[in-house]
Amino acid sequence: MTKFFADIPKIQFEGPDGTNEFAFKHYNPDEIVMGKRMEDHLRFGIAYWHSFAWPGGDPFGGQTFDRPWFGDTMDLARLKADVAFEMFDILGAPYFCFHDADVRPEGATFAESTDNLNAIVDYFAQKMDAGGPKLLWGTANLFSHRRFMSGAATNPDPDVFAYSAATIKTCLDATMKLGGENYVLWGGREGYETLLNTNMGRERQQAGAMLQMVVDYKHKIGFKGAILIEPKPQEPTKHQYDYDVATVYGFLKDFGLEGEVQMNIEQGHAILAGHSFEHELAVARELGIFGSIDMNRNDYQSGWDTDQFPNNIPEAALAYYEVLRAGGFTTGGTNFDAKLRRQSLDPEDLILAHVGGMDVCAAGLKAAAAMVEDGALEEARNTRYAKWDDSQNAEMLKSDLSSIEARVRRDNINPDPRSGRQERLENLVNRYL
Ligand code: XUL
Ligand code: CO
């Protein structure tokens, strides 16, 4: 045991009336919701980068966190892993997620960085074998180091493309070795700052070729997990190519990959794209590319990707309603892509941020399940479209404009507008919260 979380107990479920901060009020892993354990619905994952690698900086100031594992040695990387796995255990988190750069010191060469990564992967494997959590997904950090300042796959310099491809290979190998259930690609700097220096057509082809190689390699090594793309419209580049789910779908279709790649959808990214989280989830469901979620919340005033812990149960309820409508997670899960505020210095802050986030998601899931089980929302939706069940109407979609015109004249069709009942449906949703 390290000393970092020394006085913090393992978090248990104590129910909604309890006052113990260090207890779950809604997250009860074994509780059955719609025939499935709550833990198996939510599949919580802890993000290594925010909790253990982020130093607390912002554009106006640097590090605020003073963690005993900060530094660039393998000994400190192992200490970081020790603390991380202690936190996974305290929270009872079934999964975690990481980038290569979160877990290992950067080496002087590509080979040295890879050796460092592989040594930490072995260290993780021992801890996972000893009853630690599973790996929800692995990924490569192709955006922090200065070599990636003009992109990874989309870089004008083919050497950076090569470095990125080689890095993705090592991270996919690491993910496979640890039994990861997904591999995520977030296009950190795959975008542009100014069109004046950008050959967009070329960059798009490079990104498509990279993704095809990733999918080929996945099949070559027999990786059974899903390849997920995480859309985001802005930050860090002014314009990111993976803007939102619909944009990524167009890209996947273009490169023939829509059956191979699914979406990892993040709440804060959806908001930045001018959508709601549930919109993005619904688009992915309708297109058959729903995979996993990154749970967090943006500050609605700052208009930036603040990656705060979720604390809004009504929002979570609408999100999990869409997750349930998509049939729930298969390989995916709920990754907390959320970080502390930079003044939240204490080890207790790190634990309680996750306790609160897990409770908000659990309460949201329970409300969403009540919406599904009651069925009134779906009944209202179905009623709104019921006239389409009539065979004459259904066949119209395979008809042509002239025959439709003839039918409108013959039957004297004269549409009679009906209420969309939005407020009534909003009132109905509030009943389940
Ligand atoms: C950045 C972001 C990433 C990805 C993984 O906004 O969400 O942390 O989730 O690279
Ligand atoms: Co994310």
Side-chain angles (χ1 to χ4, degrees):
M1 276 289 281
T2 71
K3 291 200 281 290
F4 193 69
F5 293 122
D7 299 323
I8 300 183
K10 208 166 153 48
I11 309 295
Q12 311 282 356
F13 173 72
E14 289 184 7
D17 301 328
T19 54
N20 177 7
E21 273 191 298
F22 290 92
F24 293 121
K25 296 178 176 44
H26 299 285
Y27 181 56
N28 183 10
D30 290 323
E31 187 175 322
I32 301 296
V33 176
M34 289 176 63
K36 199 155 109 180
R37 292 174 64 250
M38 206 185 257
E39 182 180 72
D40 300 333
H41 270 288
L42 292 163
R43 295 166 58 86
F44 286 130
I46 307 292
Y48 216 93
W49 51 103
H50 288 315
S51 292
F52 308 109
W54 185 59
D58 72 6
F60 303 93
Q63 177 175 345
T64 56
F65 299 138
D66 187 16
R67 307 301 196 209
W69 58 85
F70 281 175
D72 285 332
T73 68
M74 285 300 286
D75 279 345
L76 289 172
R78 276 185 287 267
L79 173 62
K80 177 161 49 172
D82 292 343
V83 174
F85 277 74
E86 282 167 16
M87 185 169 103
F88 304 153
D89 182 53
I90 288 170
L91 292 168
Y95 290 99
F96 72 111
C97 303
F98 70 91
H99 304 78
D100 51 351
D102 307 331
V103 302
R104 56 100 181 105
E106 177 90 18
T109 60
F110 173 81
E112 200 178 304
S113 292
T114 306
D115 289 347
N116 290 349
L117 174 66
N118 290 340
I120 291 294
V121 163
D122 290 342
Y123 197 60
F124 282 175
Q126 285 170 25
K127 291 175 179 292
M128 292 164 77
D129 288 346
K134 294 188 278 187
L135 180 62
L136 185 61
W137 45 266
T139 186
N141 180 329
L142 303 177
F143 44 90
S144 293
H145 194 280
R146 66 191 290 275
R147 73 173 71 85
F148 302 117
M149 70 175 192
S150 313
T154 61
N155 203 292
D157 180 353
D159 285 352
V160 181
F161 183 97
Y163 201 100
S164 305
T167 303
I168 293 174
K169 179 196 171 289
T170 63
C171 290
L172 247 170
D173 289 341
T175 302
M176 169 126 166
K177 188 157 186 202
L178 293 173
E181 300 191 21
N182 306 272
Y183 184 83
V184 165
L185 298 145
W186 168 56
R189 294 189 189 273
E190 312 293 26
Y192 64 80
E193 301 292 350
T194 170
L195 270 179
L196 297 176
N197 67 9
T198 301
N199 184 332
M200 196 192 283
R202 220 182 232 288
E203 294 199 359
R204 223 172 153 270
Q205 290 304 318
Q206 289 172 210
M210 182 72 90
L211 189 56
Q212 277 161 340
M213 286 185 222
V214 171
V215 168
D216 286 349
Y217 188 67
K218 164 198 154 145
H219 291 304
K220 184 175 159 198
I221 61 175
F223 177 65
K224 294 281 172 280
I227 302 290
L228 305 176
I229 288 190
E230 182 174 324
K232 183 173 182 180
Q234 300 133 20
E235 196 198 49
T237 66
K238 171 186 155 53
H239 182 94
Q240 303 260 140
Y241 294 133
D242 298 343
Y243 194 95
D244 61 1
V245 172
T247 307
V248 174
Y249 186 69
F251 175 84
L252 294 178
K253 284 286 257 191
D254 202 8
F255 291 92
L257 293 169
E258 68 275 18
E260 294 280 1
V261 178
Q262 296 157 20
M263 294 299 106
N264 182 41
I265 303 169
E266 178 165 328
Q267 154 103 15
H269 298 181
I271 304 299
L272 283 183
H275 303 307
S276 65
F277 193 19
E278 58 270 24
H279 166 87
E280 288 290 81
L281 295 167
V283 174
R285 172 172 47 75
E286 295 295 349
L287 296 173
I289 53 171
F290 171 68
S292 197
I293 63 176
D294 268 12
M295 207 17 137
N296 57 25
R297 161 176 69 100
N298 278 5
D299 182 302
Y300 290 111
Q301 274 88 54
S302 79
W304 215 231
D305 190 23
T306 55
D307 284 337
Q308 289 168 246
F309 280 85
N311 74 349
N312 184 320
I313 295 173
E315 276 182 4
L318 292 177
Y320 283 107
Y321 187 57
E322 293 303 326
V323 171
L324 292 176
R325 290 187 71 214
F329 296 121
T330 48
T331 62
T334 303
N335 170 48
F336 284 107
D337 196 351
K339 60 178 179 249
L340 294 172
R341 298 307 85 196
R342 70 196 291 269
Q343 298 179 52
S344 302
L345 302 179
D346 300 340
E348 287 82 356
D349 293 322
L350 196 49
I351 299 294
L352 293 177
H354 284 91
V355 170
M358 290 162 86
D359 262 343
V360 164
C361 293
L365 173 74
K366 284 191 286 187
M371 293 181 209
V372 173
E373 282 176 330
D374 185 66
L377 274 170
E378 284 320 294
E379 197 183 305
R381 194 195 314 265
N382 292 339
T383 305
R384 189 159 181 244
Y385 293 87
K387 278 172 75 182
W388 281 99
D389 294 339
D390 179 89
S391 60
Q392 254 199 8
N393 289 329
E395 278 156 25
M396 180 164 57
L397 295 183
K398 288 176 246 140
S399 172
D400 59 86
L401 296 187
S402 314
S403 341
I404 294 175
E405 191 209 3
R407 186 162 80 92
V408 169
R409 288 175 182 280
R410 187 189 67 225
D411 298 349
N412 192 19
I413 290 180
N414 192 6
D416 181 19
R418 292 175 185 207
S419 173
R421 300 182 169 188
Q422 179 168 340
E423 296 77 7
R424 291 169 69 176
L425 295 172
E426 286 164 353
N427 294 350
L428 179 60
V429 164
N430 284 340
R431 276 210 332 239
Y432 306 107
L433 294 173

